[in-house]
Amino acid sequence: MDDVDPVRAANGAFYRAHEERDLDAMAEVWHRSERAVCVHPGWPVLRGWDQIAESWRRIFAGPGRNQFLLTGESFDVGADRAWVTVEENLVDGDRMVAVSALNVFALVPDRWAMVAHHASPIVPMLDR
Amino acid sequence: MDDVDPVRAANGAFYRAHEERDLDAMAEVWHRSERAVCVHPGWPVLRGWDQIAESWRRIFAGPGRNQFLLTGESFDVGADRAWVTVEENLVDGDRMVAVSALNVFALVPDRWAMVAHHASPIVPMLDR
C-alpha cells in the first residue's frame, strides 16, 4: 500500500478538475467532510467541504487561471495518508504565477481522497 | 496507533524549538533526510534537511518573532503519517502576524518526525 501511482493519479485529478473548472470532478477528488482543510493563496483558511466547495464555485465562476505547469512533484505515501509537494505554475492570461502547494490525501476504502490543500505564492507575480 | 497525543507533542516541540531559537531541539523535531520539505512565509521551497537546517540558522540569527499564540489546531493521525493545521499568531515586537500552517509528520520507529512544514500569511500585517 505504499504505491505512489494511485496518489499521483489523485493529485493529477485535482489539477485536471481545476483546469477544467469542473466542480463535480473536484468533489470526487476531495474527502467531503468536516475534516478537509483548504488554503488558497491569499485566502483565509477554509475548513470542511461546504466552505471548500463554495470556494471552488467562486474560483470557477471568476476570471481565469486555466492552465497549470506542474514542476517539482514529490510524493511520500504511507499506509493510509500521503502527502505531495508541487510547484503550480499558473498561466494566467499573459502572466505566470508560481505557487507552492502541499497536498495531503487519506486512503478511504476505495480511493485516495484529498484532505488538505495548502497553496501559497512563491513569487507574487512574474511577468513573462 | 491513531492516538493524537504523540502528534500533538511533536507539533508542540516544533513551536517550542522555534520560540526558544534552539537548533538542536529543532533538529530533533524533523526527519533529517532529503524527504523533508519546508516553506516559510515568503521563502522559496526548501527541500532536504540541509537546506531546512540552514533556514533555521538564519531565522534564529535574525531579529525576532519570539512568541506564538497557536489557535485552531486540528489533527488527523493515520497509521504512519499525520497532519496538523494550525494558525500561528506571531507576536513580533508590537505587531501580530497571522500565519496558517500545515505540518506533516511521519512515524519513524521511535517518534513522529516532521517531514513537511508549509506556512503562509493569512493577513500580511495586522497592527495591534
Side-chain angles (χ1 to χ4, degrees):
Chain A
M1 207 52 92
D2 58 1
D3 187 0
V4 166
D5 287 344
V7 176
R8 190 192 306 274
N11 198 59
F14 170 73
Y15 289 102
R16 203 158 47 247
H18 194 159
E19 285 189 331
E20 297 178 355
R21 296 165 172 261
D22 184 335
L23 190 61
D24 291 339
M26 186 59 84
E28 286 300 305
V29 167
W30 280 84
H31 196 275
R32 295 180 297 282
S33 73
E34 283 309 299
R35 156 156 86 126
V37 177
C38 184
V39 179
H40 300 294
W43 286 51
V45 184
L46 306 176
R47 294 184 183 278
W49 173 243
D50 290 350
Q51 284 193 13
I52 295 168
E54 179 58 26
S55 76
W56 290 115
R57 268 184 220 106
R58 289 169 58 183
I59 288 168
F60 292 164
R65 290 168 178 173
N66 291 310
Q67 195 181 350
F68 290 98
L69 303 171
L70 300 180
T71 55
E73 272 186 308
S74 72
F75 299 89
D76 180 40
V77 180
D80 55 11
R81 300 290 186 282
W83 57 283
V84 179
T85 59
V86 63
E87 276 86 69
E88 307 172 349
N89 303 280
L90 299 164
V91 181
D92 183 15
D94 57 354
R95 285 182 297 213
M96 290 286 286
V97 183
V99 168
S100 172
L102 173 57
N103 300 326
V104 183
F105 296 86
L107 186 63
V108 290
D110 57 337
R111 66 183 181 109
W112 285 95
M114 179 173 270
V115 283
H117 169 66
H118 189 142
S120 61
I122 300 174
V123 178
M125 283 292 170
L126 178 64
D127 290 316
R128 285 196 295 187
Chain B
M1 207 53 94
D2 57 2
D3 188 358
V4 165
D5 287 344
V7 176
R8 191 192 305 273
N11 198 60
F14 170 72
Y15 289 102
R16 203 158 47 246
H18 193 159
E19 284 189 330
E20 296 177 356
R21 297 167 172 259
D22 184 335
L23 190 61
D24 291 339
M26 186 58 83
E28 286 301 305
V29 167
W30 280 84
H31 196 274
R32 295 179 297 282
S33 72
E34 285 308 300
R35 159 154 84 124
V37 177
C38 184
V39 178
H40 299 295
W43 286 52
V45 184
L46 306 176
R47 293 184 184 279
W49 172 244
D50 290 351
Q51 284 192 13
I52 294 167
E54 180 57 27
S55 77
W56 290 115
R57 268 183 219 106
R58 289 169 58 186
I59 288 168
F60 292 163
R65 289 168 180 175
N66 292 311
Q67 195 180 349
F68 290 97
L69 303 172
L70 301 181
T71 54
E73 271 187 308
S74 72
F75 298 89
D76 180 41
V77 180
D80 55 12
R81 301 289 186 282
W83 58 282
V84 179
T85 59
V86 62
E87 276 87 69
E88 307 172 350
N89 303 281
L90 300 164
V91 181
D92 183 16
D94 57 355
R95 285 183 298 213
M96 290 287 284
V97 182
V99 167
S100 171
L102 173 57
N103 300 326
V104 183
F105 296 85
L107 185 62
V108 290
D110 57 336
R111 66 183 180 107
W112 285 95
M114 179 174 270
V115 283
H117 169 66
H118 189 140
S120 60
I122 299 173
V123 178
M125 282 293 169
L126 177 63
D127 290 316
R128 285 198 292 185

